[in-house]
mmCIF file of all heavy atoms in Angstrom:
data_model
loop_
_atom_site.group_PDB
_atom_site.id
_atom_site.type_symbol
_atom_site.label_atom_id
_atom_site.label_comp_id
_atom_site.label_asym_id
_atom_site.label_seq_id
_atom_site.Cartn_x
_atom_site.Cartn_y
_atom_site.Cartn_z
ATOM 1 N N ALA O 88 -48.749 3.932 17.060
ATOM 2 C CA ALA O 88 -49.186 4.124 15.679
ATOM 3 C C ALA O 88 -48.962 2.894 14.815
ATOM 4 O O ALA O 88 -49.773 2.581 13.947
ATOM 5 C CB ALA O 88 -48.458 5.312 15.065
ATOM 6 N N SER O 89 -47.857 2.220 15.045
ATOM 7 C CA SER O 89 -47.487 1.180 14.084
ATOM 8 C C SER O 89 -47.418 -0.208 14.672
ATOM 9 O O SER O 89 -47.878 -1.179 14.072
ATOM 10 C CB SER O 89 -46.107 1.489 13.483
ATOM 11 O OG SER O 89 -46.174 2.637 12.704
ATOM 12 N N VAL O 90 -46.814 -0.286 15.828
ATOM 13 C CA VAL O 90 -46.425 -1.602 16.274
ATOM 14 C C VAL O 90 -47.620 -2.459 16.665
ATOM 15 O O VAL O 90 -47.648 -3.659 16.401
ATOM 16 C CB VAL O 90 -45.424 -1.477 17.422
ATOM 17 C CG1 VAL O 90 -45.074 -2.830 17.955
ATOM 18 C CG2 VAL O 90 -44.184 -0.775 16.919
ATOM 19 N N LEU O 91 -48.617 -1.827 17.264
ATOM 20 C CA LEU O 91 -49.772 -2.615 17.663
ATOM 21 C C LEU O 91 -50.487 -3.204 16.445
ATOM 22 O O LEU O 91 -50.981 -4.324 16.468
ATOM 23 C CB LEU O 91 -50.727 -1.769 18.501
ATOM 24 C CG LEU O 91 -50.144 -1.409 19.875
ATOM 25 C CD1 LEU O 91 -51.122 -0.573 20.675
ATOM 26 C CD2 LEU O 91 -49.806 -2.681 20.650
ATOM 27 N N ASP O 92 -50.488 -2.414 15.365
ATOM 28 C CA ASP O 92 -51.095 -2.916 14.132
ATOM 29 C C ASP O 92 -50.339 -4.122 13.591
ATOM 30 O O ASP O 92 -50.892 -4.939 12.852
ATOM 31 C CB ASP O 92 -51.090 -1.822 13.061
ATOM 32 C CG ASP O 92 -51.993 -0.666 13.461
ATOM 33 O OD1 ASP O 92 -52.869 -0.874 14.327
ATOM 34 O OD2 ASP O 92 -51.825 0.430 12.905
ATOM 35 N N ALA O 93 -49.070 -4.166 13.980
ATOM 36 C CA ALA O 93 -48.223 -5.229 13.463
ATOM 37 C C ALA O 93 -48.754 -6.615 13.777
ATOM 38 O O ALA O 93 -48.467 -7.579 13.051
ATOM 39 C CB ALA O 93 -46.817 -5.089 14.036
ATOM 40 N N GLN O 94 -49.514 -6.726 14.827
ATOM 41 C CA GLN O 94 -50.015 -8.051 15.219
ATOM 42 C C GLN O 94 -50.785 -8.734 14.093
ATOM 43 O O GLN O 94 -50.728 -9.950 13.932
ATOM 44 C CB GLN O 94 -50.905 -7.910 16.455
ATOM 45 C CG GLN O 94 -50.144 -7.323 17.637
ATOM 46 C CD GLN O 94 -51.037 -7.131 18.859
ATOM 47 O OE1 GLN O 94 -51.965 -7.883 19.057
ATOM 48 N NE2 GLN O 94 -50.725 -6.109 19.634
ATOM 49 N N HIS O 95 -51.504 -7.905 13.329
ATOM 50 C CA HIS O 95 -52.261 -8.493 12.226
ATOM 51 C C HIS O 95 -51.339 -9.183 11.236
ATOM 52 O O HIS O 95 -51.636 -10.257 10.739
ATOM 53 C CB HIS O 95 -53.067 -7.403 11.511
ATOM 54 C CG HIS O 95 -54.036 -6.724 12.414
ATOM 55 N ND1 HIS O 95 -55.075 -7.389 13.025
ATOM 56 C CD2 HIS O 95 -54.132 -5.444 12.840
ATOM 57 C CE1 HIS O 95 -55.763 -6.554 13.782
ATOM 58 N NE2 HIS O 95 -55.211 -5.358 13.694
ATOM 59 N N GLU O 96 -50.218 -8.533 10.984
ATOM 60 C CA GLU O 96 -49.312 -9.085 9.974
ATOM 61 C C GLU O 96 -48.689 -10.396 10.411
ATOM 62 O O GLU O 96 -48.251 -11.191 9.586
ATOM 63 C CB GLU O 96 -48.192 -8.075 9.656
ATOM 64 C CG GLU O 96 -48.715 -6.778 9.082
ATOM 65 C CD GLU O 96 -47.593 -5.828 8.685
ATOM 66 O OE1 GLU O 96 -46.476 -6.313 8.390
ATOM 67 O OE2 GLU O 96 -47.818 -4.604 8.678
ATOM 68 N N LEU O 97 -48.623 -10.591 11.709
ATOM 69 C CA LEU O 97 -47.955 -11.790 12.219
ATOM 70 C C LEU O 97 -48.943 -12.864 12.665
ATOM 71 O O LEU O 97 -48.531 -13.917 13.163
ATOM 72 C CB LEU O 97 -47.041 -11.407 13.387
ATOM 73 C CG LEU O 97 -45.804 -10.601 12.981
ATOM 74 C CD1 LEU O 97 -45.089 -10.034 14.196
ATOM 75 C CD2 LEU O 97 -44.847 -11.487 12.189
ATOM 76 N N ALA O 98 -50.220 -12.574 12.486
ATOM 77 C CA ALA O 98 -51.218 -13.570 12.889
ATOM 78 C C ALA O 98 -51.379 -14.606 11.779
ATOM 79 O O ALA O 98 -51.757 -14.259 10.658
ATOM 80 C CB ALA O 98 -52.552 -12.885 13.174
ATOM 81 N N VAL O 99 -51.042 -15.849 12.071
ATOM 82 C CA VAL O 99 -51.211 -16.897 11.048
ATOM 83 C C VAL O 99 -52.264 -17.884 11.558
ATOM 84 O O VAL O 99 -52.275 -18.238 12.735
ATOM 85 C CB VAL O 99 -49.889 -17.634 10.775
ATOM 86 C CG1 VAL O 99 -48.850 -16.663 10.264
ATOM 87 C CG2 VAL O 99 -49.387 -18.342 11.998
ATOM 88 N N PRO O 100 -53.140 -18.316 10.694
ATOM 89 C CA PRO O 100 -54.171 -19.289 11.103
ATOM 90 C C PRO O 100 -53.522 -20.656 11.309
ATOM 91 O O PRO O 100 -52.608 -21.031 10.575
ATOM 92 C CB PRO O 100 -55.123 -19.300 9.901
ATOM 93 C CG PRO O 100 -54.291 -18.876 8.750
ATOM 94 C CD PRO O 100 -53.239 -17.959 9.272
ATOM 95 N N LEU O 101 -54.007 -21.374 12.295
ATOM 96 C CA LEU O 101 -53.444 -22.709 12.552
ATOM 97 C C LEU O 101 -54.124 -23.733 11.643
ATOM 98 O O LEU O 101 -55.347 -23.756 11.522
ATOM 99 C CB LEU O 101 -53.664 -23.090 14.021
ATOM 100 C CG LEU O 101 -52.905 -22.221 15.036
ATOM 101 C CD1 LEU O 101 -53.060 -22.777 16.443
ATOM 102 C CD2 LEU O 101 -51.434 -22.138 14.668
ATOM 103 N N SER O 102 -53.312 -24.558 11.030
ATOM 104 C CA SER O 102 -53.872 -25.536 10.097
ATOM 105 C C SER O 102 -54.090 -26.885 10.762
ATOM 106 O O SER O 102 -54.780 -27.743 10.239
ATOM 107 C CB SER O 102 -52.912 -25.717 8.919
ATOM 108 O OG SER O 102 -51.741 -26.381 9.382
ATOM 109 N N GLY O 103 -53.452 -27.086 11.890
ATOM 110 C CA GLY O 103 -53.526 -28.394 12.529
ATOM 111 C C GLY O 103 -52.204 -29.129 12.370
ATOM 112 O O GLY O 103 -51.807 -29.913 13.237
ATOM 113 N N ASP O 104 -51.497 -28.813 11.300
ATOM 114 C CA ASP O 104 -50.176 -29.444 11.106
ATOM 115 C C ASP O 104 -49.088 -28.502 11.621
ATOM 116 O O ASP O 104 -48.843 -27.445 11.033
ATOM 117 C CB ASP O 104 -49.949 -29.736 9.621
ATOM 118 C CG ASP O 104 -48.552 -30.310 9.402
ATOM 119 O OD1 ASP O 104 -48.099 -31.146 10.214
ATOM 120 O OD2 ASP O 104 -47.886 -29.864 8.426
#
Side-chain angles (χ1 to χ4, degrees):
Chain O
S89 293
V90 176
L91 291 180
D92 294 340
Q94 300 178 31
H95 300 298
E96 298 184 26
L97 290 169
V99 299
L101 294 187
S102 69
D104 177 41

